[in-house]
């Protein structure tokens, strides 16, 4: 992982920057040119950029805006107002905004604090899919009195060069999903099978693409909500996901895999791990349940051999795999913190279990760092849901959990 660092702009670098900025105007004793720079313009989604503004007067206020567009073409935007230091610079790593979309000094605050410009209640950002667009732009603009506006575009990338993907279908593969493979020649790492939650569809492709960029073959599958699959979260055969696990191992030549289940997908992840104890070596569950819950909107969620899987506690003692359970302490959707502690408690038979609990975070604890994740979401079925937590606490959870998730997979 690449962590955010504090970077000071030296006088020589500042002089160079002032020669390359956008047009400015004469003010006070000299000419000022407002400039936005970043150490990198093209980065993986889970890596920070370090934005610096130069060419301001000491103490001058500057308004900085970040804008992006989601999968549906809806605009997202955040804003911060900052005050220049004695050198006429603002470093977003160093300087807290005077006002704006977030409060504390955070170099990536403008990225994760964006909200939809149309006032949508759905505040979970779904950027363009890595299947159709390997990257997406975030446009940064800055404006200050007496200076021409400056602009800088940062490209946020899902995949490194060489990552490939293949669409799997029911007719030939007996599963609907997307398989991402790391670049050829990459050292073999644990393959990961990803299940989403009650949002339905193939919702894990963003994380799967990013995992492949970190060297992990990753298969994100849909288990309801797409043609050929159950239309709702009802009567989903566990055998379907067991088949997906075996397919991933076969396609990658691996003798052991990991499973990542989010929310309702955590139930599936644990059920598959119990059925395939020799294949599933690691399980990661976000905002999880330690129990089998009913279907949505009603009825039975899962079946085995055509029979309903009864609601009630999951037999965790049947799972020898290492388990990482992650939850937000302020999850308002269901008691994920209690269930995460239960799932993550080590036992004599399975000592490698742990739980990560994040104060203030909600049900959106599974999000990737530096992407907006709010407290409300609209699933494939039903009305908008109160996920609990707030944007800042969710982001803190993502920043801490994502590298620990990668480390867990690599251990």
């Amino acid at each position: 992982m690449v962590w955010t660092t504090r970077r000071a702009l030296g006088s020589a670098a500042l002089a160079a920057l002032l020669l390359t900025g956008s047009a400015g105007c004469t003010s006070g004793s000299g000419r000022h040119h407002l400039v936005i720079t970043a150490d990198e313009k093209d980065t993986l989604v889970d890596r920070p950029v370090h934005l610096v503004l130069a060419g301001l007067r000491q103490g001058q206020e500057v308004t900085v805006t970040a804008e992006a567009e989601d999968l549906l073409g809806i605009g997202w935007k955040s804003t911060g107002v900052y005050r220049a230091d004695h050198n006429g610079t603002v470093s977003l790593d160093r300087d807290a905004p005077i006002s704006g979309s977030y409060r504390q000094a955070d170099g990536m605050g403008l990225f994760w604090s964006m909200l939809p410009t149309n006032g949508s209640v759905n505040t979970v950002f779904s950027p363009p899919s890595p299947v159709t667009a390997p990257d997406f732009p975030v446009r940064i603009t800055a404006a200050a009195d007496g200076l021409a506006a400056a602009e800088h575009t940062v490209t946020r990338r899902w995949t490194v060069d060489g990552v490939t993907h293949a669409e799997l279908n029911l007719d030939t593969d007996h599963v609907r999903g997307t398989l991402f493979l790391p670049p050829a020649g990459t050292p073999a790492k644990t393959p990961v099978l990803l299940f989403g939650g009650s949002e339905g569809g193939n919702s894990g492709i963003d994380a799967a693409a990013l995992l492949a960029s970190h060297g992990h073959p990753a298969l994100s599958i849909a288990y309801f909500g797409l043609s050929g699959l159950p239309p709702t979260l009802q009567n989903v055969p566990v055998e379907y996901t067991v088949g997906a696990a075996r397919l991933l191992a076969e396609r990658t030549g691996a003798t052991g895999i990991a499973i990542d289940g989010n929310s309702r997908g955590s139930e599936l992840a644990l059920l598959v791990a119990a059925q395939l104890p020799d294949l599933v070596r690691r399980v990661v569950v976000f905002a999880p349940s330690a129990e089998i819950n009913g279907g949505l909107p009603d009825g039975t969620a899962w079946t085995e051999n055509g029979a309903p899987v009864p609601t009630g506690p999951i037999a965790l003692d049947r799972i020898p795999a290492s388990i990482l359970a992650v939850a937000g302490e302020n999850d308002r959707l269901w008691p994920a913190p209690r269930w995460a502690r239960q799932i993550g408690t080590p036992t004599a038979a399975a000592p490698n279990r742990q739980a990560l609990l994040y104060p203030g975070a909600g049900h959106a604890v599974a999000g990737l760092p530096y992407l907006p994740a709010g407290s409300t979401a609209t699933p494939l079925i039903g009305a908008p849901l109160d996920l609990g937590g707030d944007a800042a606490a969710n982001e803190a959870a993502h920043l801490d959990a994502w590298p620990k998730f990668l480390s867990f997979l690599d251990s």
Side-chain angles (χ1 to χ4, degrees):
M1 285 294 296
V2 178
W3 293 89
T4 301
T5 58
R6 307 297 184 196
R7 299 192 179 188
L9 187 64
S11 57
L14 177 58
L17 292 177
L18 294 177
L19 296 175
T20 60
S22 58
C25 68
T26 301
S27 178
S29 60
R31 181 175 294 274
H32 293 264
H33 302 271
L34 181 56
V35 179
I36 307 173
T37 65
D39 58 339
E40 293 183 83
K41 291 185 66 174
D42 191 330
T43 60
L44 281 177
V45 169
D46 64 345
R47 292 178 177 168
V49 295
H50 306 282
L51 293 167
V52 175
L53 285 78
L56 297 156
R57 298 184 300 276
Q58 178 178 351
Q60 187 174 14
E61 293 186 6
V62 57
T63 300
V64 185
T65 300
E67 297 176 278
E69 193 171 275
D70 69 12
L71 186 63
L72 301 177
I74 297 171
W76 288 62
K77 183 177 181 179
S78 60
T79 301
V81 179
Y82 310 86
R83 180 171 287 114
D85 67 7
H86 64 283
N87 291 318
T89 68
V90 171
S91 167
L92 268 64
D93 286 346
R94 177 195 66 200
D95 300 323
I98 301 169
S99 61
S101 306
Y102 70 101
R103 297 181 180 179
Q104 305 298 323
D106 184 340
M108 296 298 287
L110 288 175
F111 290 74
W112 59 258
S113 67
M114 288 189 290
L115 291 172
T117 56
N118 68 350
S120 169
V121 296
N122 187 351
T123 55
V124 178
F125 179 60
S126 297
S129 166
V131 171
T132 57
D135 55 54
F136 63 94
V138 177
R139 179 170 171 261
I140 310 295
T141 57
D145 289 342
L147 299 175
E151 181 177 325
H152 186 95
T153 297
V154 176
T155 299
R156 305 298 279 162
R157 185 169 292 280
W158 290 118
T159 54
V160 296
D161 292 341
V163 168
T164 59
H165 72 273
E167 294 298 323
L168 307 185
N169 61 74
L170 292 171
D171 290 338
T172 59
D173 306 299
H174 310 293
V175 66
R176 287 204 62 171
T178 309
L179 174 63
F180 289 87
L181 296 177
T186 299
K189 288 188 177 182
T190 304
V192 185
L193 177 63
L194 297 96
F195 308 141
S198 62
E199 68 277 2
N202 188 7
S203 61
I205 55 175
D206 296 351
L210 201 51
L211 284 169
S213 295
H214 286 279
H216 294 274
L219 172 57
S220 172
I221 68 165
Y223 55 87
F224 81 96
L226 294 181
S227 62
L229 300 174
T232 58
L233 208 170
Q234 294 174 304
N235 300 313
V236 175
V238 175
E239 292 87 351
Y240 168 80
T241 46
V242 167
R246 289 176 171 148
L247 176 66
L248 176 59
E250 177 186 335
R251 293 287 179 92
T252 59
T255 58
I257 71 167
I259 298 181
D260 170 5
N262 178 35
S263 190
R264 291 305 301 265
S266 66
E267 299 172 37
L268 264 185
L270 295 170
L271 288 171
V272 174
Q275 287 208 13
L276 299 174
D278 294 330
L279 180 62
V280 179
R281 307 289 175 80
R282 296 178 181 87
V283 178
V284 184
V285 285
F286 290 89
S289 172
E291 300 181 3
I292 300 299
N293 294 274
L296 292 173
D298 52 33
T300 296
W302 324 112
T303 65
E304 288 183 351
N305 299 317
V309 176
T311 57
I314 297 171
L316 298 173
D317 57 351
R318 292 178 52 203
I319 304 173
S322 301
I323 300 179
L324 175 65
V326 184
E329 292 278 17
N330 195 27
D331 191 317
R332 293 179 187 165
L333 197 60
W334 63 9
R338 172 168 60 84
W339 282 332
R341 292 186 183 94
Q342 184 178 345
I343 295 167
T345 298
T347 67
N352 192 12
R353 294 183 179 180
Q354 57 180 309
L356 300 176
L357 284 300
Y358 292 100
H363 199 74
V365 73
L368 297 169
Y370 313 130
L371 291 175
S375 59
T376 306
T378 304
L380 184 64
I381 51 178
L385 302 174
D386 182 1
L387 302 178
D390 60 62
N394 285 336
E395 174 63 11
H398 302 158
L399 276 174
D400 188 75
W402 177 248
K404 289 180 178 176
F405 170 43
L406 293 176
S407 178
F408 179 77
L409 294 176
D410 292 337
S411 62

